[in-house]
Amino acid sequence: MKKVIFLLLSIAFLSCGKDSNLIDGEVKNSNGEGIEDVLVQVMGTDLNSRTNTKGVFRINTKDRGDELIFTHPEYEMFRIQLDDSEVSVILKEKNTQEQEK
């Protein structure tokens, strides 16, 4: 009985893995420095991740055609459609004069 339960759990785990794609990426500023704490979201889902101190993130998606949204309070929002398993993004700083108005 234990072997049957283990087998069923293993099949369920493996089948879940086939439905998602692991994406690795990095987010940098215009100086090439990693940006920490950027929220990376898969558009239309609750899947998300945040960049580490070096601007690196890892996220699971459903499909390669999914769109990722990058947000951070100090940078302009950025969107990209996935077509690869690695993503490199450069975020543009928000215009501070516009923020003060």
Side-chain angles (χ1 to χ4, degrees), residues 34-82:
I35 304 172
E36 182 179 8
D37 207 30
V38 175
L39 178 62
V40 183
Q41 297 176 292
V42 179
M43 176 91 166
T45 74
D46 59 352
L47 300 172
N48 65 70
S49 180
R50 289 201 179 264
T51 57
N52 65 16
T53 56
K54 296 179 181 180
V56 174
F57 70 92
R58 177 173 276 179
I59 190 167
N60 280 308
T61 66
K62 294 281 183 188
D63 298 307
R64 284 282 184 242
D66 283 343
E67 186 174 43
L68 291 184
I69 302 171
F70 299 83
T71 55
H72 188 282
E74 297 174 17
Y75 295 86
E76 293 183 10
M77 183 186 71
F78 185 79
R79 293 180 180 195
I80 187 171
Q81 188 167 7
L82 294 173

Side-chain angles (χ1 to χ4, degrees), residues 73 94-101:
K94 286 184 179 176
N95 186 338
T96 54
Q97 291 176 346
E98 288 179 13
Q99 289 177 348
E100 294 173 2
K101 292 181 180 180

